[in-house]
Amino acid sequence: MEIKSLQKLFYQLYGREDPYPVEFYFAPGRICLIGEHIDYNGGWVMPAAISRGIYAGFRKEDNQIMWMRSGMDERDIVCSLAAEITYDESRGWGNYPLGVLSELQKKKIDLTGAELMFNSDLPIGAGLSSSACVEVLTAYMFAEQAGTPLDRTEIALIAQKAENNFIGVKCGIMDQFAVAHGKANNAILLNCDTLEHAYVPLKLGDYRLVVLNTNKQRQLSESKYHVRLAECQTALALLQSKTGILRLVQADPRDIDKCINDPVLRKRAHHVSSEQRRVQEAAAALRRGDIEAFGAILFASHRSLKEDYEVSGHELDTMVTGAQENPNCIGAKMSGAGFGGCAFALVKKDAIESFIVYIEQYYHRHTGRKGSAFMVDVVDGVHKLI
Ligand code: GLA
């Protein structure tokens, strides 16, 4: 998105008259390359920040009132930063930034009043972490404006707390961490237990990443997400009663078969254990520049998410199968929590345009729905634009 069009939108929403300049910020969305449903099981994940995201315009005010408007929603949200901030259903998307401000209040960060505008070229609620994006963006901007810039890991943790406590989704740390710590042309190899992380160069060679949006809302995804979380906790408890493991990602496949009788819980544990192995294999493949092997691991991950973890669905499966049937694609999987939202594919760069036409038609033919596909680059985490 061009700064000029952001400025134009800001002035349309708030007018020009004001002593303070408008400052602009950007936070990227993310895809989870590999390591799906691993973060809350305390293992290694590998996300990457993408070139679509959420933009914000920030104009400081000499008071403690915050106005929020968005290019995507008619709502006009006003809030006093001097009082305790609480969840309010009628504020819709506004609860994401408000949740972060409430966490910043607890940290005694000096919050300044502002006129705030959000705009996005990231599909919202589509599994590309639009919520983590707006949360990290809010924490970053307000901390910077308060003159107390926070460490990027601290920002990610504040954003996760807002999601856990204010919004009520018990997500792991992967999304917020990726949005905060993204690095251009690199994947982030993150240990969700210790937050130790390293960058793995994403040398895609002749291939590029294409996001495949099912345009299917992730219905009930939050409640199903919580069901998976509980299943993993039960599976871990069963394994712990007979083995010395601390985290489900440490489970040995033979122990899973021995210790867990329930077929559903056994499948969940197998996904976690095999996905963890795939993260290491994927990082090794990228490090040796074997993009084909990396692609094959993506297909294997999708299969496990579909069959063992059961978080895919007809729409996501159709996108991935369609991609797999195309000779210019060497890997694809769903990304994020699942139950709708987006998948992504690794596609030969010379064939991107024809691939996009192909996959949109394929998806429509098999689901009757209108999906969309677009190429993304891998970019830096949250930052100020001007
Ligand atoms: C959502 C959550 C993340 C992670 C993924 C699944 O995106 O917010 O914490 O659990 O699902 O990998």
Side-chain angles (χ1 to χ4, degrees), residues 30 32 35-40 129 171-175 225 336-337:
R30 70 92 191 86
C32 172
E36 215 69 85
H37 289 274
I38 290 295
D39 57 356
Y40 54 84
S129 282
C171 66
I173 186 67
M174 173 174 72
D175 302 348
Y225 186 86

Side-chain angles (χ1 to χ4, degrees), residues 82-356:
E84 191 192 340
I85 299 171
T86 51
Y87 186 88
D88 176 350
E89 183 94 49
S90 70
R91 285 171 163 162
W93 67 271
N95 282 303
Y96 291 94
L98 291 172
V100 170
L101 293 173
S102 128
E103 290 299 327
L104 292 175
Q105 276 183 331
K106 289 182 205 159
K107 285 199 160 284
K108 307 271 179 273
I109 303 256
D110 191 13
L111 300 175
T112 169
E115 288 169 323
L116 208 53
M117 172 202 83
F118 291 103
N119 207 15
S120 170
D121 61 7
L122 185 71
I124 302 296
L128 299 173
S129 282
S130 51
S131 56
C133 198
V134 82
E135 288 158 357
V136 166
L137 185 56
T138 306
Y140 183 87
M141 284 188 301
F142 276 87
E144 202 205 68
Q145 293 281 340
T148 39
L150 298 169
D151 171 57
R152 285 176 182 263
T153 299
E154 206 175 338
I155 288 179
L157 289 167
I158 289 170
Q160 185 199 18
K161 265 200 196 138
E163 183 89 29
N164 291 170
N165 303 335
F166 204 83
I167 305 296
V169 177
K170 304 291 173 207
C171 66
I173 186 67
M174 173 174 72
D175 302 348
Q176 292 79 7
F177 200 94
V179 176
H181 278 278
K183 183 170 169 190
N185 303 316
N186 278 263
I188 309 163
L189 183 60
L190 165 69
N191 181 319
C192 298
D193 190 16
T194 60
L195 300 188
E196 166 195 354
H197 62 284
Y199 292 103
V200 181
L202 202 51
K203 288 190 223 111
L204 297 177
D206 288 341
Y207 293 87
R208 290 294 174 270
L209 291 164
V210 177
V211 169
L212 313 173
N213 186 359
T214 64
N215 275 324
K216 186 196 174 209
Q217 285 297 314
R218 299 170 306 146
Q219 271 159 358
L220 297 177
S221 64
E222 279 155 20
S223 57
K224 290 183 192 162
Y225 186 86
H226 291 152
V227 171
R228 293 295 176 280
L229 179 60
E231 287 168 342
C232 287
Q233 285 163 348
T234 312
L236 176 63
L238 288 169
L239 282 155
Q240 279 177 330
S241 64
K242 298 194 180 118
T243 69
I245 64 165
L246 293 174
R247 306 266 175 203
L248 193 53
V249 285
Q250 297 161 338
D252 182 291
R254 281 161 307 191
D255 287 337
I256 296 175
D257 289 335
K258 252 190 275 161
C259 304
I260 305 180
N261 290 328
D262 182 296
V264 171
L265 292 183
R266 202 187 300 153
K267 283 204 290 184
R268 305 296 187 252
H270 273 303
H271 166 73
V272 171
S273 155
S274 66
E275 182 77 352
Q276 189 58 138
R277 202 186 54 239
R278 281 187 290 272
V279 173
Q280 302 302 345
E281 289 170 359
L286 284 179
R287 284 184 171 131
R288 63 173 193 273
D290 189 347
I291 196 71
E292 259 108 24
F294 178 68
I297 297 168
L298 301 183
F299 283 135
S301 168
H302 186 82
R303 215 171 308 124
S304 174
L305 287 158
K306 174 186 176 193
E307 290 167 9
D308 283 345
Y309 217 62
E310 297 179 281
V311 289
S312 182
H314 179 53
E315 291 78 6
L316 283 167
D317 290 343
T318 302
M319 282 295 193
V320 172
T321 309
Q324 194 157 14
E325 286 173 12
N326 187 294
N328 291 310
C329 168
I330 54 163
K333 68 178 268 293
M334 53 156 271
S335 177
F339 312 106
C342 289
F344 69 92
L346 264 177
V347 181
K348 220 179 209 142
K349 66 173 187 242
D350 306 338
I352 301 265
E353 274 176 38
S354 61
F355 176 85
I356 290 177

